Amino acid sequence: MKKITLSGISKSFGGSRALENVDLTFESGKIYGLLGRNGAGKTTLLKILYGILYPSSGRVLSDDKEIRINDNFLGNLFYVGEPDYFPVETSLRKLFSETKYFRPEFDTEYALSLTSLFGLDSSKSLRSLSTGQRTLFKDILALSSGASFIFLDEPILGLDANRRDILYRTILGKYNESPFTIVISTHLIEEISSIVEHVIILHEGRVVRDEPLDSLLASGYSVSGKKDAVRKYISGKSVMGIDALGGFECAYILGARQENGHQDELEFGRLSLQKIFVQMTGSKGGDDK
Amino acid sequence: MKLKPTLRFIMGDISIKIIPLYYLASICLYSALYFTGDTSGLAAPDVFGSLLASSFFLIFVLTAMTANRSLRFLVQVGISRDTIIVANLLRAVILSAAISMADRLLSLYMTFLTGGFSQKYIDPVTEFGVSDSCFPYYLLFEFSLGFGCILFMILLALFCSMIWIRLKLLYKLLFLILSLFIVIIYTDTYYGIDFIAESVGYDPLMTAVVIFVFFFGSALISYILSARRVPVRD
């Protein structure tokens, strides 16, 4: 399977719309970052892909052919998310062997090696693990699954900085060994910007950005300096947003950098993924929905 | 379709291992009652009725313990709904048939304990009291009651699955009504198959088949259609 396409996917829960007419393609051998505020529809999207939820409308295509979500299709995918769908009283080792029972390509040895790398005790039950350890267990399961498309929903939930760092290096190591598609949905945007190649931003159930990270970061720039100078510079330009701090301002501008007479008083910089995300999805404190 | 591992997984659940223990405990209980001389509650029809009731309860508890748990894990490891539904149907059939058969065997054991296989009657020629043995297999394979029980238990097992995987109330009610219909039609001697066949003027066997196909078929279809889209509980 070379790619999975979602075409016109919508999903409603009662009267509330979680996804609206989503068109997306996940190609093989890429690391995707799926970003969105709370309630933007990220988890719903991933659950639809894995057959946990059914879309209200729309189609799922595999290599441009419309498919029914069956065992063969799901055998190429692996999804782990925040809820524990595993029997919590079972030991990690047993869960590995039960997963292997259904997915012969599951690499138990690799799973056990990651378990010791992260300092987990495989004889312990899932119930006895902390939030971070459970997250790690699910990440290990996904990375050992042998699936060609892996969907990680909040894969760093509850992890300390050291373990997050080991996890990123493990993902990249595995990816370099044999490229697979990995879709990471997280709120720690800056951290994953160092490993993702392609970014999808969801906002209020719609895709607002779907492009390679480099192109997204090159789509604009920031300019900062004294308020008056910044205001003069940005006049007539496409401004995503402005941060103000005392008499200073930092403006985020879309498009290529243009020279004009005010640039001596100003400082120019690259856009960061987090800034782009915040500017695109609004700065309200509450959830989107 | 990964049907074989799925069926093996759901049949291998720890709760399924309760079944032999349940019947072993039943045999011990009834034997103890017999050997302590208390045989008043062991009359065959009463025992069979209470066996049925406890077996329905057993199926309910077993399904309650396994349905959602299995569904969540199977979905997590990438088993499709179609496979899960087929495996659940097969499990319901296997469990129901096994439990119905075990109930009948236990009932026979009770009948044996209480001497129910021997019937006394007055020989019209010699005018002496004579004992005769009933043919126990008749009780075991007697059509309508046994068949009705198996069907009802299958429906009950599916119904329980539906309860625990959060289906719409409408589907649950539909299932319950169909289940009750089936058990009444197949087990009630007065309002049963014979009564309906006589009312519509058909052969009783043909009537039984038509009713079976209609009710059981519609129950299965509604189960399959609804279970295909039920969300997994987080």
Side-chain angles (χ1 to χ4, degrees):
Chain A
M1 194 162 65
K2 293 213 167 64
K3 64 177 177 180
I4 301 171
T5 307
L6 298 175
S7 171
I9 294 284
S10 296
K11 177 71 184 175
S12 300
F13 296 102
S16 119
R17 200 140 246 232
L19 290 175
E20 193 152 357
N21 206 23
V22 169
D23 292 314
L24 278 177
T25 297
F26 296 104
E27 290 172 357
S28 69
K30 273 189 179 177
I31 302 179
Y32 288 85
L34 179 62
L35 310 177
R37 298 184 68 186
N38 295 334
K42 306 181 298 290
T43 300
T44 304
L45 182 80
L46 297 181
K47 284 185 172 178
I48 286 174
L49 263 168
Y50 202 54
I52 296 174
L53 290 175
Y54 283 82
S56 306
S57 61
R59 298 175 303 151
V60 178
L61 297 97
S62 165
D63 295 338
D64 296 326
K65 283 181 200 155
E66 188 170 353
I67 50 125
R68 185 182 169 83
I69 293 184
N70 56 23
D71 294 343
N72 285 341
F73 173 72
L74 292 175
N76 291 304
L77 275 51
F78 202 88
Y79 162 84
V80 282
E82 194 186 334
D84 285 329
Y85 289 147
F86 305 94
V88 290
E89 69 284 359
T90 314
S91 71
L92 307 193
R93 189 177 283 271
K94 180 95 194 313
L95 285 170
F96 289 148
S97 67
E98 286 190 347
T99 306
K100 172 95 179 163
Y101 180 60
F102 288 97
R103 305 183 70 108
E105 66 280 11
F106 182 82
D107 190 343
T108 311
E109 272 182 33
Y110 181 65
L112 288 170
S113 72
L114 288 184
T115 306
S116 55
L117 175 71
F118 286 108
L120 299 181
D121 181 352
S122 61
S123 64
K124 276 191 172 177
S125 69
L126 196 55
R127 192 202 304 274
S128 65
L129 302 185
S130 67
T131 306
Q133 288 172 324
R134 282 188 192 203
T135 303
L136 276 175
F137 161 73
K138 287 182 267 188
D139 294 338
I140 291 170
L141 208 65
L143 290 172
S144 314
S145 66
S148 43
F149 287 79
I150 292 174
F151 303 96
L152 301 177
D153 192 3
E154 296 297 346
I156 43 183
L157 187 74
L159 297 191
D160 56 42
N162 307 47
R163 279 177 164 162
R164 289 205 301 272
D165 185 55
I166 300 173
L167 180 67
Y168 297 141
R169 280 190 280 124
T170 306
I171 290 174
L172 287 176
K174 177 88 178 158
Y175 179 78
N176 289 333
E177 221 172 77
S178 56
F180 54 97
T181 302
I182 185 159
V183 180
I184 302 171
S185 165
T186 180
H187 291 289
L188 291 181
I189 296 165
E190 267 324 293
E191 277 195 16
I192 63 149
S193 65
S194 60
I195 61 169
V196 300
E197 298 171 85
H198 195 103
V199 176
I200 296 161
I201 298 177
L202 279 179
H203 185 54
E204 295 182 345
R206 291 169 183 272
V207 176
V208 292
R209 214 71 188 212
D210 174 17
E211 63 182 283
L213 178 67
D214 291 343
S215 136
L216 185 62
L217 294 179
S219 64
Y221 58 99
S222 68
V223 56
S224 54
K226 284 186 180 167
K227 186 176 175 180
D228 291 344
V230 171
R231 291 283 165 163
K232 273 182 196 161
Y233 179 82
I234 64 174
S235 168
K237 294 186 175 64
S238 176
V239 181
M240 277 196 292
I242 300 173
D243 287 336
L245 185 68
F248 286 86
E249 277 189 348
C250 180
Y252 306 100
I253 298 160
L254 279 175
R257 188 175 146 185
Q258 293 165 359
E259 305 287 330
N260 65 22
H262 306 283
Q263 65 185 47
D264 292 344
E265 304 160 31
L266 299 169
E267 199 168 308
F268 294 89
R270 270 171 66 95
L271 288 177
S272 72
L273 184 56
Q274 179 143 317
K275 280 295 172 200
I276 294 173
F277 174 79
V278 169
Q279 298 303 331
M280 287 190 147
T281 56
S283 52
K284 282 184 286 179
D287 289 350
D288 294 356
K289 304 226 162 171
Chain B
M1 201 180 236
K2 295 175 178 172
L3 185 59
K4 199 175 158 189
T6 307
L7 184 61
R8 231 175 103 183
F9 177 78
I10 57 176
M11 290 298 288
D13 193 277
I14 185 78
S15 58
I16 303 295
K17 290 164 188 159
I18 292 172
I19 296 174
L21 291 176
Y22 163 80
Y23 283 105
L24 192 65
S26 298
I27 289 170
C28 292
L29 177 71
Y30 288 126
S31 303
L33 281 175
Y34 173 73
F35 288 116
T36 54
D38 182 7
T39 55
S40 57
L42 294 180
D46 293 344
V47 166
F48 191 60
S50 60
L51 278 177
L52 275 181
S54 55
S55 298
F56 295 160
F57 183 70
L58 176 68
I59 283 206
F60 187 86
V61 171
L62 286 180
T63 317
M65 288 171 75
T66 56
N68 195 49
R69 198 178 107 110
S70 302
L71 176 70
R72 288 160 64 91
F73 181 71
L74 291 171
V75 163
Q76 176 63 72
V77 291
I79 302 299
S80 69
R81 294 301 175 88
D82 293 351
T83 307
I84 295 172
I85 289 169
V86 174
N88 267 327
L89 287 174
L90 287 173
R91 173 185 183 270
V93 171
I94 293 166
L95 267 188
S96 306
I99 288 179
S100 298
M101 198 56 77
D103 280 350
R104 308 304 296 271
L105 287 170
L106 197 55
S107 157
L108 281 183
Y109 176 63
M110 295 305 106
T111 313
F112 169 73
L113 283 184
T114 54
F117 291 144
S118 293
Q119 288 183 338
K120 281 191 176 172
Y121 66 96
I122 306 296
D123 189 303
V125 180
T126 61
E127 294 187 348
F128 284 115
V130 176
S131 287
D132 196 9
S133 292
C134 293
F135 186 52
Y137 297 107
Y138 175 75
L139 190 63
L140 187 58
F141 295 109
E142 191 258 325
F143 175 71
S144 67
L145 187 60
F147 192 54
C149 291
I150 292 174
L151 290 185
F152 183 62
M153 285 206 221
I154 293 171
L155 287 172
L156 192 83
L158 295 178
F159 174 65
C160 296
S161 301
M162 293 170 81
I163 288 177
W164 295 102
I165 57 176
R166 282 205 312 191
L167 286 187
K168 285 181 181 167
L169 184 65
L170 180 71
Y171 286 117
K172 291 176 184 172
L173 287 176
L174 176 69
F175 239 77
L176 191 63
I177 291 165
L178 288 169
S179 305
L180 288 174
F181 249 120
I182 283 182
V183 81
I184 289 169
I185 287 167
Y186 280 93
T187 59
D188 192 290
T189 48
Y190 190 72
Y191 289 108
I193 297 290
D194 291 342
F195 173 78
I196 295 170
E198 201 175 309
S199 307
V200 296
Y202 283 153
D203 174 62
L205 184 62
M206 179 59 76
T207 309
V209 169
V210 169
I211 290 171
F212 167 74
V213 169
F214 180 73
F215 283 114
F216 201 68
S218 54
L220 280 182
I221 288 167
S222 67
Y223 172 75
I224 291 165
L225 289 179
S226 54
R228 275 196 65 226
R229 286 184 168 262
V230 68
V232 181
R233 201 184 305 179
D234 278 354

